[in-house]
Amino acid sequence: MAQHAYQVLKTAMNMRDDLYVVVSTHSENTGDRVNPYNKMKTLGKMLDSVITLEGLFTYVLFTTIQRDDDNKSSYKFITNSDGTCTAKTPMGLFEDTYIDNDLDAVIRRIKEYNEED
């Protein structure tokens, strides 16, 4: 089963350059309630012992809910690890650690960033 999951991800990575493939997964807290540490949820210890899934991707975003002073919720993406997760993006892609939860805006920014090189 782990091999098949890995093959799906590798196939997605080898698709045409003009396609943006978004892989949506659940997260798993490998820390505790006081000191949470979230990573991509996998199919079990076998896959975890062979590969770190986040290593297959250039961009790994996690979601979070932030509350303002009035306790109003806003949904955000974590762009780089804030100590609670394995989020990562290339240096300079995003100025902020927390950005609006908007995949279209993320893909547009990735396109802009790649054209800057």
Side-chain angles (χ1 to χ4, degrees):
M1 193 165 167
Q3 180 182 7
H4 293 295
Y6 178 74
Q7 277 306 116
V8 168
L9 295 176
K10 289 299 283 183
T11 299
M13 290 169 39
N14 293 322
M15 300 195 72
R16 296 188 334 247
D17 287 342
D18 63 328
L19 295 178
Y20 285 81
V21 177
V22 175
V23 177
S24 178
T25 69
H26 289 278
S27 61
E28 173 181 29
N29 181 5
T30 58
D32 55 39
R33 285 181 173 253
V34 176
N35 297 303
Y37 192 74
N38 292 292
K39 66 176 208 60
M40 290 173 120
K41 187 173 179 82
T42 61
L43 297 172
K45 292 179 184 176
M46 182 177 163
L47 187 59
D48 281 344
S49 68
V50 175
I51 192 163
T52 302
L53 286 180
E54 290 91 334
L56 297 175
F57 300 93
T58 304
Y59 317 100
V60 177
L61 304 174
F62 278 79
T63 58
T64 189
I65 301 171
Q66 294 183 336
R67 300 199 185 277
D68 63 15
D69 293 337
D70 296 326
N71 207 30
K72 183 179 175 191
S73 301
S74 63
Y75 296 87
K76 301 287 184 178
F77 282 132
I78 305 172
T79 62
N80 289 291
S81 182
D82 60 357
T84 67
C85 66
T86 57
K88 66 176 188 171
T89 58
M91 190 178 349
L93 178 61
F94 297 105
E95 291 181 21
D96 300 318
T97 302
Y98 302 95
I99 61 170
D100 289 337
N101 186 330
D102 181 346
L103 275 176
D104 186 50
V106 169
I107 291 170
R108 281 195 319 268
R109 178 61 192 129
I110 290 170
K111 286 180 185 179
E112 291 170 2
Y113 178 82
N114 289 334
E115 290 172 1
E116 291 172 4
D117 290 339

